[in-house]
Amino acid sequence: MTATPPRPRDIVIVGASLAGVRAAETLRAEGFTGRLTLVGNERLTPYDRPPLSKGFLTAEHDPPATRLPVSDELRARWLLGRTAVALDLRDRAVTFSDGARLRYDGLVIATGATARPSAGPPAPSSGVFTLRGHDDATRLRGALARGRSLLVVGAGFLGGEIAAAGRARGLDVTLVETGAAPLERVVGPEVGAFVGMLHREAGIDLRTDTAVTEFRTTADGSLSGARLTDGTEVTADAAVLALGALPATDWLSDSGLRTEGGVHCDTRLRALALDGTPVPDVVVAGDVARAPQPLADGTPMALGHWTNAVDQAVTAARTLLRGADSPAFDEVPSFWSDLHGVRIRSVGLPAVADTVKVHEIDTSTRRLEASYHRAGRLVGALTIGRTSRLAAYHRSLAEASRAHHRAV
């Protein structure tokens, strides 16, 4: 199964969002002239997701989705509003919820991720939201426009941005976090405390070391608030569960691919069968991919970053055309978030560090610089209000990634 496959003539991309579109564009740029089909489970043409938790929620007028630029040279068949339900590797075919079956000789899996469901108390049928796609953002934006108070459960990057949007719209916002500080498990306690300071200065009621034990409703079933594990109650007429994401792999459960925590793949992003061998005509990209991370000593990880989706799409498309002759994926992950007027940026993998070094922290100017290390090696960096300082870290991390590939 590891031999270089014949160059495909009919490629199907399941997932018509960022990773899928960039994979399609790379295929054409690499000289692919065969039939190209993009299939998406939403009816909208491809759009950008980062604005959905930022400017989309605070816009005065009903904003359209931010369309992704798509090359005129794509010459693709678009099948939108179709949900994949099964993959047959032996017959090289994808089955969809309407019963249609699509054959391929090259497949890109780019189905993204879904909102992680709550393991906590049952939520009321109305007033409690999650945010992944355009329709989610539209419903939440309507609730923020009508509401007076907002409860956000989970103070990660997404939860923090939603809380900031609610505050910008003038709502009373409560942000609940099970850890001692926002983002602490990802960026460490000092940086987490800094982010907590930003939230509190913006007027957000940040509750740490606590969780929701019960949602409260009025007589007509509308959300009125929640009770927390510390015994207190908070008022809210809208709530958002921002508890992370799960790679969208349900449709692959009987496919013969490894799918726990994402679709496992090798360094060239070829999907792995259950026995660990790569499937040469199936590649993976974006939030759904669980790929070896050089900065984490090759540990497979799924990353929900915009830049990761773009970079992986390029590698996956090249692998589909070049097979084992294509280069391994060694791009450095990066991420940004806009929060209360400052930009948080990171490169590498701060979450895998065992040591955090804070080089600058100034609450008055809202500036911070930290580097992250694992067994003495640099694995990541993060700045707040100091974006220009990341370039040197990025160069060091890129060299570390390349060195890892040379060593294995």
Side-chain angles (χ1 to χ4, degrees), residues 216-280:
R216 311 300 295 268
T217 58
T218 62
D220 65 0
S222 301
L223 180 71
S224 61
R227 182 188 296 275
L228 307 183
T229 52
D230 61 9
T232 62
E233 294 189 9
V234 297
T235 300
D237 46 36
V240 183
L241 305 179
L243 304 172
L246 294 175
T249 61
D250 287 354
W251 66 289
L252 300 168
S253 58
D254 296 323
S255 67
L257 297 180
R258 290 190 61 184
T259 59
E260 63 276 15
V263 182
H264 288 240
C265 45
D266 68 4
T267 58
R268 294 178 174 81
L269 305 182
R270 295 174 293 192
L272 298 181
L274 293 175
D275 64 2
T277 58
V279 181

Side-chain angles (χ1 to χ4, degrees), residues 12-256:
V12 173
I13 300 175
V14 182
S17 192
L18 179 64
V21 171
R22 294 295 175 258
E25 291 179 340
T26 302
L27 289 167
R28 290 303 191 206
E30 291 280 316
F32 174 68
T33 58
R35 185 162 68 169
L36 184 58
T37 305
L38 283 105
V39 189
N41 62 356
E42 294 182 272
R43 295 191 179 279
L44 291 173
T45 55
Y47 60 89
D48 218 4
R49 293 180 186 274
L52 297 182
S53 57
K54 305 179 180 73
F56 190 95
L57 296 180
T58 57
E60 286 298 321
H61 304 288
D62 193 20
T66 305
R67 291 192 61 182
L68 282 173
V70 178
S71 170
D72 294 336
E73 304 300 320
L74 207 56
R75 304 186 309 281
R77 176 173 56 151
W78 293 85
L79 300 177
L80 301 178
R82 299 264 189 107
T83 301
V85 296
L87 169 63
D88 185 337
L89 291 176
R90 183 182 299 275
D91 201 30
R92 292 181 169 178
V94 179
T95 302
F96 297 91
S97 55
D98 61 0
R101 189 172 169 87
L102 202 58
R103 300 288 299 272
Y104 66 84
D105 53 18
L107 175 68
V108 180
I109 297 174
T111 43
T114 59
R116 183 183 293 277
S118 172
S125 57
S126 65
V128 179
F129 303 84
T130 57
L131 175 56
R132 286 298 300 177
H134 178 268
D135 290 346
D136 298 331
T138 299
R139 287 189 287 269
L140 176 57
R141 183 176 179 277
L144 297 183
R146 298 187 300 271
R148 292 175 298 176
S149 53
L150 171 68
L151 167 65
V152 181
V153 183
F157 285 111
L158 180 66
E161 289 178 349
I162 295 170
R167 196 69 196 110
R169 296 198 68 125
L171 277 69
D172 294 328
V173 178
T174 303
L175 179 58
V176 172
E177 167 60 37
T178 56
L183 300 166
E184 182 181 18
R185 287 184 291 273
V186 178
V187 299
E190 289 183 274
V191 178
F194 192 99
V195 174
M197 179 272 295
L198 294 176
H199 285 315
R200 289 190 168 106
E201 283 191 351
I204 291 172
D205 181 5
L206 174 63
R207 308 288 188 94
T208 57
D209 290 319
T210 192
V212 172
T213 60
E214 179 187 5
F215 288 103
R216 311 300 295 268
T217 58
T218 62
D220 65 0
S222 301
L223 180 71
S224 61
R227 182 188 296 275
L228 307 183
T229 52
D230 61 9
T232 62
E233 294 189 9
V234 297
T235 300
D237 46 36
V240 183
L241 305 179
L243 304 172
L246 294 175
T249 61
D250 287 354
W251 66 289
L252 300 168
S253 58
D254 296 323
S255 67

Side-chain angles (χ1 to χ4, degrees), residues 2-5 268 270 315 318-328:
T2 58
T4 300
R268 294 178 174 81
R270 295 174 293 192
T315 295
R318 289 173 175 167
T319 294
L320 207 50
L321 299 181
R322 304 180 191 176
D325 294 332
S326 64

Side-chain angles (χ1 to χ4, degrees), residues 367-388:
R367 288 176 173 173
L368 181 146
E369 176 188 353
S371 61
Y372 296 82
H373 306 262
R374 176 185 173 102
R377 294 181 293 104
L378 179 72
V379 294
L382 181 146
T383 63
I384 298 176
R386 287 290 197 188
T387 297
S388 63

